[in-house]
Amino acid sequence: MEKVEVGEVFTISDEAGEENEVEVLAAFPVDGVEYVAVSFTEDLQEETDEGIDIFFLKVDEEGDLAAIGSDEEFDKVSQAFDQIMEGEEGGE
């Protein structure tokens, strides 16, 4: 897999083996490791007042996506994503 790009859509499988399409909302490094923020394309296409679920995946050295391994890692990535989003909102 090559570098993951914002707007890219791909299919992932959950624990039950069910496939879901997700879209990349952001790609960003944290402590030298690349991560992506993704959301289900179905959620993004629905016009609703409710927030969308965003989750994070780690991009390994081969460009493959992997789950985040610990709560500490998730917290660090989540905070970095929040800072990116705050920066974009402030720049508009």
Side-chain angles (χ1 to χ4, degrees), residues 2-88:
E2 296 181 22
K3 182 170 173 35
V4 178
E5 300 289 336
V6 173
E8 187 174 341
V9 175
F10 54 92
T11 302
I12 61 171
S13 297
D14 62 16
E15 298 87 20
E18 186 175 325
E19 292 186 344
N20 295 288
E21 279 193 345
V22 295
E23 181 175 337
V24 177
L25 305 176
F28 53 96
V30 176
D31 296 338
V33 178
E34 190 72 19
Y35 294 89
V36 292
V38 299
S39 184
F40 295 113
T41 55
E42 185 177 298
D43 291 348
L44 293 170
Q45 292 169 353
E46 292 179 9
E47 291 188 24
T48 178
D49 292 336
E50 295 178 24
I52 59 170
D53 290 328
I54 296 173
F55 55 101
F56 306 104
L57 298 170
K58 184 184 333 188
V59 182
D60 69 16
E61 294 171 2
E62 288 82 40
D64 294 326
L65 301 173
I68 291 178
S70 69
D71 289 342
E72 291 172 349
E73 183 180 13
F74 175 83
D75 290 342
K76 198 178 341 179
V77 172
S78 180
Q79 288 175 0
F81 178 73
D82 289 344
Q83 290 175 347
I84 291 167
M85 292 294 98
E86 288 172 12
E88 287 183 5

